[in-house]
Amino acid sequence: MSTNEQTPRVIFASHGQQAVAVSQDLRTVVTTDDNLVAVYDASTGALRHSFETEFPEDINKVLIHPDGRRLLTGRGYDGAVVRIHDLESGTELDHFGINDDTLGFFLLPDSRRVLTGYCQLDMWDLDNGLLGPLWTQDDCASCLEPMLHPNGEWIINRDDDRIAYFSVADGSLVRELKVAHDDPGMLEEVDHGALLLPDARRAVFAVGNGVPVLEVFDIETGERFSPLEGHAGQVQALALSPDGDRFASVADDGFVRVWDSISLECVWTAKAHEGKAADVTFCGNEAVITVGADGDGRLWDVV
């Protein structure tokens, strides 16, 4: 494992506390601070412009649309909503409301539909609004980030002690299975991210309740693997590299850790922020961008 003590290659100053996203062409970085959005040049860190949104508090999710022209921002809990902005001007183009307990969203591969999830999974069309709920239940689902299966046909979500598969085409429940755990209480709150590894069998979950580990399950059998240890605080976010070879995690301890997707070994780590590290994304396959409580976004080479 490489412990990297070098300074970051690029710093995106002053507006990087909650969430971060990078454009597909790797030229633009967006960070958020409270209800403010900042747009930067990815290569130099120069601030292009910033704008305030209509959110009353922190933006906890941001995504640059593949068209490079639109930006999606969201926050969960009170007044949960996804807003669509023009990336260059900051003008709000549209927004859609979601159930109050929604924590996150992601864009489906057609770049047209958005899935929002937590207590209820809803599918939306960016142009036409709500297409319908995929899953509703009395008790909250536990996963902030529903996962898309590599076959493009299934959406996977985990709820406490089960993993459920839904059809992308019509939202129907395809299958569900129980997951094994010797401490079910640890699984009550997986609300800090999840990702499906390229083998399409293993899923990694950032567990809640202040537990500084990553849980790994076989989504075909429900088998639990040994948890991934190393962080000294609650894991806040996960990200998968574009080629799928590695994934990254950030935590309350301020560290960013990069893991091998096959061996599940930590291959690189650095102290990224003073205080909590809140979000992480890959910028290509050999760099990550982190944001944290000290207020800056930082780009790190992880080779």
Side-chain angles (χ1 to χ4, degrees):
M1 179 182 69
S2 172
T3 300
N4 196 330
E5 298 181 355
Q6 70 176 9
T7 57
R9 174 156 54 94
V10 182
I11 295 178
F12 310 98
S14 302
H15 301 299
Q17 291 193 5
Q18 275 90 36
V20 61
V22 63
S23 61
Q24 285 194 346
D25 63 10
L26 308 184
R27 295 180 179 179
T28 301
V29 170
V30 170
T31 67
T32 69
D33 182 0
D34 294 329
N35 70 338
L36 183 76
V37 172
V39 182
Y40 297 90
D41 182 283
S43 62
T44 67
L47 178 66
R48 292 179 184 167
H49 66 96
S50 62
F51 59 91
E52 291 188 349
T53 69
E54 295 297 321
F55 290 107
E57 298 181 49
D58 299 348
I59 299 169
N60 58 22
K61 178 78 172 182
V62 62
L63 184 153
I64 301 175
H65 192 276
D67 65 14
R69 297 182 292 104
R70 288 177 288 178
L71 177 73
L72 280 67
T73 59
R75 63 166 274 106
Y77 299 119
D78 298 334
V81 68
V82 173
R83 301 184 187 277
I84 307 168
H85 309 266
D86 180 90
L87 180 60
E88 290 305 315
S89 69
T91 302
E92 184 173 316
L93 305 175
D94 200 357
H95 68 271
F96 46 88
I98 48 185
N99 70 82
D100 286 343
D101 289 314
T102 292
L103 289 178
F105 64 86
F106 75 88
L107 193 66
L108 291 175
D110 59 17
S111 299
R112 179 179 57 85
R113 291 174 298 166
V114 174
L115 188 72
T116 63
Y118 191 54
C119 282
Q120 177 172 308
L121 295 182
D122 290 323
M123 187 179 291
W124 304 79
D125 186 289
L126 288 179
D127 297 317
N128 301 310
L130 183 64
L131 297 175
L134 301 190
W135 186 15
T136 60
Q137 59 178 52
D138 295 331
D139 296 320
C140 286
S142 303
C143 184
L144 164 61
E145 300 277 1
M147 299 166 286
L148 182 71
H149 193 278
N151 66 14
E153 298 178 359
W154 300 333
I155 296 162
I156 302 167
N157 195 48
R158 199 198 60 74
D159 164 36
D160 291 347
D161 63 349
R162 63 175 177 165
I163 295 173
Y165 292 66
F166 300 91
S167 167
V168 170
D170 59 14
S172 61
L173 180 64
V174 177
R175 63 174 296 204
E176 60 181 348
L177 70 152
K178 293 285 187 178
V179 297
H181 200 290
D182 53 9
D183 182 7
M186 285 185 64
L187 299 179
E188 290 179 357
E189 209 179 321
V190 181
D191 60 1
H192 291 270
L195 56 84
L196 185 63
L197 297 179
D199 60 15
R201 289 286 303 254
R202 295 171 300 167
V204 180
F205 300 97
V207 301
N209 299 323
V211 180
V213 300
L214 298 173
E215 291 284 357
V216 185
F217 287 91
D218 187 315
I219 63 167
E220 293 292 328
T221 66
E223 176 188 359
R224 178 198 180 211
F225 297 96
S226 297
L228 307 184
E229 300 178 340
H231 282 294
Q234 166 72 61
V235 178
Q236 291 293 330
L238 300 171
L240 185 67
S241 64
D243 62 11
D245 288 348
R246 295 182 289 180
F247 62 96
S249 58
V250 291
D252 286 352
D253 58 8
F255 276 81
V256 54
R257 302 179 73 87
V258 177
W259 311 78
D260 183 273
S261 294
I262 297 176
S263 69
L264 300 182
E265 294 180 353
C266 183
V267 296
W268 186 94
T269 185
K271 177 67 171 177
H273 298 276
E274 294 301 323
K276 180 177 77 173
D279 198 11
V280 60
T281 188
F282 273 86
C283 185
N285 293 309
E286 298 181 346
V288 295
I289 303 174
T290 62
V291 294
D294 51 15
D296 290 337
R298 293 169 182 158
L299 185 149
W300 306 86
D301 293 310
V302 296
V303 292

